[in-house]
Amino acid sequence: MKKYIVYIVLFASFVAVGQDKYSNADKSFESLWYLEAAKQYERIIANGDHSQKVLQKVGDAYYFNTDMENASKWYEELFSRYEDVVEPKYKFRYIHALQGIGKYSLVKALMKVNEEELKASNFNVEQLKNNDEELDKLLKRQPQFYVSNLSINTKVADFGTAFYKNKIVFASSRDSSKIKTRLYKWNNQSYLNLFMADTVFQGTDLKNVIAFSKNINTKYHEAVVAFNTAGDEVYFTRNNFTDEILKRDSDGMNHLKLYHAVLENNEWVNIKEVPFNNENYSVGQPALSPDGKKLYFVSDMPGSIGATDIFVVDVLGGNSFSEPKNLGPEINTSGREMFPHLTENKIYFSSDGHLGFGGLDVFESSYKTAFSKPINLGVPLNSKKDDFGYIVNEVTQRGYVSSNRDGGVGDDDIYSFNRINVKCVQKVKGSVVNIDNGIPEDAVIVRLIEENGDEIAKTVTNVNGEYVFNIHIDCDTKYSVSVEKENFDAATKQFITSDILDYVNTVPMGIKKRSRLIVEENGILKIKIGLIYFDLDKSFIRNDATIELNKIVFLMQEYPNMVIKIESHTDSRNNDAYNEALSDRRAKSTRDYIISQGISSNRIESAIGYGEKQLVNNCDNTTKCSDSQHDVNRRSEFIIVKLN
């Protein structure tokens, strides 16, 4: 996309240095004549000047002209000489240039090496975070698109499609006149005009290209349009000029403006600037919401987060609009966000600030009350070069995207696409730590459970307490992760997957060492305390019994979800009915004491005395036993019905 940034100019003024050897090159650079500037800077370098300024400028001249091979070459020398003093934006551009030539291994290394410095800077883009793992996932993502080059593309720039009734409008620097027009020195191509074409077989190709409108096209740039649903209003981008003269700001920059026109008698008339245009910054690349009530656009106006941001205004009618509002950091970064396209529930845009493959990539974000985290649409829609101008009919999932990728006809080309219905799946990973000390726990059994309770995967944590389930799960679905380990309390956590394809859900878990009072007997969890003594033929709680029962109270406070049942037993001495009644009074007296200490009554499922019905030995009414043998049967049991 060798001229593309012109549609929203560089948004930075480059101040010339007063040294004669730089003046011509700087003048070319400031005029955005990057092909010429690059050659001039290279001549300066050949004469022995390897200063930081010159290396930055020659790298930028190639970078802004999307010649990533030469850009990476000069940025590499810049880094080898001045790595400790270059600004974060040059690290960003170097990474992008490397992505543009497919050197992803070096890209991941640079991300990692520069992570701390970039965190400390205000130059905050996803590309510069520690994203080597995320980049791997992006490279392995399942393709969702069939992409085809169009027959109407030329050797010059063709890009920026818009739906217009049953036709497509786009920008091109093809010279439609018989006489050669003026060349734009950015890339030695003609200035851009708007063209219109018919669609072929569900939009797989275009034909019958004609100029869009003699009233809108001028001898300067017109590009990137948006129509209302009825097709009788248009917003378009144009150079800032009056009376055929380009107007410039105090730094000599010619910015872009946004214009509006209406269709009357098949002619576009009443062409007016939108009121939020400004001589000192650019406004362009319009996109209308389907209901026509909101106008989105791209600008470097004050309040921008990065080089170019996406803004929105309410359309109030009569060329009146609300104040521009920045879409915020969920969409905009310190890089470039451009070419918005709106559907009923989503915004599509291009960015080099979110994690991508190099250059501009196309992203989508859902919106209801707020925008969701943007998703890279992956290859083959995105490439190592600039991919932008995405428009789609979400009913047919067909549309167009522009790109200067390798293998095209010329500079920027227009591609048609068909988005494939790919089943949305995700994965799950996490870690398990000891709640008491924060240390990772190995050998923990981890289960993945569907909402209906079925276990669908099982694994074990490694020495670092990490686990990964090697299966795919459905998007937008409820699942649970459960953990268990001997002598630890089991734990479960629910989560709901999002609607993001190939997203990896991270579910951290904690596991707690089980209290020594909790034991397992024959598969049943019980609370084991010392013997509770009652006076002969009595059921009131003695002082020495409260010491043991308070252990129950403290444990139930530690486990706020614990539910127990109390069972009281006697030996076989005395008659059966007497023993059952006494043990039942003692069980209920025990329950009442625990409740009196602040434990909710609904946490004690039952308190029942069984008398001599559940002896643990053979000392029944027919057997002669010693006192110590009978004492084994005199017991209270606290059975755990629910622990967590």
Side-chain angles (χ1 to χ4, degrees), residues 17-26 44:
V17 180
Q19 301 173 9
D20 289 342
K21 67 176 179 178
Y22 296 138
S23 59
N24 288 335
D26 287 345
I44 294 172

Side-chain angles (χ1 to χ4, degrees), residues 283-341:
V283 175
Q285 297 180 7
L288 276 169
S289 61
D291 61 8
K293 294 181 179 180
K294 291 186 181 295
L295 174 66
Y296 294 75
F297 62 93
V298 176
S299 180
D300 62 328
M301 65 173 56
S304 296
I305 295 171
T308 59
D309 283 6
I310 301 174
F311 291 78
V312 64
V313 292
D314 294 323
V315 180
L316 305 177
N319 203 37
S320 180
F321 305 86
S322 65
E323 288 296 314
K325 178 182 177 183
N326 191 297
L327 293 196
E330 193 66 55
I331 298 295
N332 294 317
T333 70
S334 292
R336 299 175 296 166
E337 279 67 49
M338 313 182 91
F339 288 98
H341 171 65

Side-chain angles (χ1 to χ4, degrees), residues 221-268:
H221 285 302
E222 283 82 28
V224 191
V225 299
F227 298 92
N228 66 346
T229 303
D232 56 8
E233 293 185 57
V234 65
Y235 294 89
F236 64 93
T237 312
R238 174 189 280 170
N239 285 108
N240 175 19
F241 76 93
T242 304
D243 298 327
E244 302 297 307
I245 298 173
L246 286 174
K247 300 187 70 175
R248 302 181 185 275
D249 66 11
S250 58
D251 294 314
M253 299 289 286
N254 173 253
H255 294 289
L256 301 179
K257 287 188 173 181
L258 194 56
Y259 295 80
H260 174 259
V262 296
L263 187 66
E264 293 182 2
N265 298 319
N266 292 320
E267 295 287 344
W268 291 102

Side-chain angles (χ1 to χ4, degrees), residues 286-479:
L288 276 169
S289 61
D291 61 8
K293 294 181 179 180
K294 291 186 181 295
L295 174 66
Y296 294 75
F297 62 93
V298 176
S299 180
D300 62 328
M301 65 173 56
S304 296
I305 295 171
T308 59
D309 283 6
I310 301 174
F311 291 78
V312 64
V313 292
D314 294 323
V315 180
L316 305 177
N319 203 37
S320 180
F321 305 86
S322 65
E323 288 296 314
K325 178 182 177 183
N326 191 297
L327 293 196
E330 193 66 55
I331 298 295
N332 294 317
T333 70
S334 292
R336 299 175 296 166
E337 279 67 49
M338 313 182 91
F339 288 98
H341 171 65
L342 277 295
T343 62
E344 288 292 342
N345 299 307
K346 292 182 179 179
I347 181 171
Y348 299 89
F349 63 97
S350 289
S351 172
D352 62 8
H354 296 281
L355 183 64
F357 299 96
L360 292 163
D361 277 8
V362 179
F363 293 80
E364 70 175 356
S365 171
S366 300
Y367 65 97
K368 293 179 182 176
T369 56
F371 290 104
S372 65
K373 181 178 175 62
I375 304 167
N376 188 303
L377 292 185
V379 294
L381 186 87
N382 290 319
S383 68
K384 296 182 292 185
K385 298 293 183 67
D386 287 316
D387 307 287
F388 58 100
Y390 179 99
I391 64 170
V392 65
N393 179 327
E394 287 197 329
V395 175
T396 63
Q397 285 300 309
R398 292 182 180 273
Y400 302 90
V401 68
S402 304
S403 178
N404 68 337
R405 67 187 60 193
D406 297 336
V409 174
D411 189 354
D412 293 336
D413 281 356
I414 300 169
Y415 293 80
S416 67
F417 67 77
N418 181 17
R419 191 169 188 178
I420 309 160
N421 184 19
V422 176
K423 179 177 172 60
C424 185
V425 292
Q426 300 180 0
K427 300 197 82 171
V428 183
K429 69 175 185 178
S431 59
V432 183
V433 299
N434 187 313
I435 291 176
D436 296 321
N437 54 30
I439 296 174
E441 281 290 338
D442 66 348
V444 178
I445 297 172
V446 189
R447 305 177 194 274
L448 183 60
I449 301 166
E450 291 182 313
E451 187 175 9
N452 63 8
D454 290 344
E455 178 185 313
I456 57 174
K458 177 181 175 182
T459 188
V460 178
T461 57
N462 62 20
V463 293
N464 297 315
E466 300 164 334
Y467 70 88
V468 176
F469 292 113
N470 292 318
I471 66 165
H472 286 99
I473 58 175
D474 294 334
C475 297
D476 201 21
T477 305
K478 185 183 291 185
Y479 293 90

Side-chain angles (χ1 to χ4, degrees), residues 419-543:
R419 191 169 188 178
I420 309 160
N421 184 19
V422 176
K423 179 177 172 60
C424 185
V425 292
Q426 300 180 0
K427 300 197 82 171
V428 183
K429 69 175 185 178
S431 59
V432 183
V433 299
N434 187 313
I435 291 176
D436 296 321
N437 54 30
I439 296 174
E441 281 290 338
D442 66 348
V444 178
I445 297 172
V446 189
R447 305 177 194 274
L448 183 60
I449 301 166
E450 291 182 313
E451 187 175 9
N452 63 8
D454 290 344
E455 178 185 313
I456 57 174
K458 177 181 175 182
T459 188
V460 178
T461 57
N462 62 20
V463 293
N464 297 315
E466 300 164 334
Y467 70 88
V468 176
F469 292 113
N470 292 318
I471 66 165
H472 286 99
I473 58 175
D474 294 334
C475 297
D476 201 21
T477 305
K478 185 183 291 185
Y479 293 90
S480 297
V481 171
S482 71
V483 292
E484 60 185 75
K485 184 178 180 179
E486 188 175 0
N487 297 322
F488 282 78
D489 296 329
T492 300
K493 182 183 290 185
Q494 281 189 344
F495 68 98
I496 300 175
T497 55
S498 67
D499 60 355
I500 301 174
L501 177 67
D502 292 334
Y503 182 78
V504 179
N505 299 272
T506 301
V507 185
M509 300 291 294
I511 194 165
K512 183 179 177 60
K513 191 80 172 178
R514 183 171 293 165
S515 169
R516 59 182 178 80
L517 296 178
I518 299 175
V519 298
E520 185 174 334
E521 294 180 353
N522 299 320
I524 299 173
L525 289 181
K526 297 180 179 180
I527 303 173
K528 211 69 172 175
I529 59 175
L531 290 174
I532 298 175
Y533 293 101
F534 294 89
D535 287 337
L536 183 64
D537 198 29
K538 303 295 183 184
S539 59
F540 68 85
I541 303 299
R542 295 177 7 176
N543 289 336

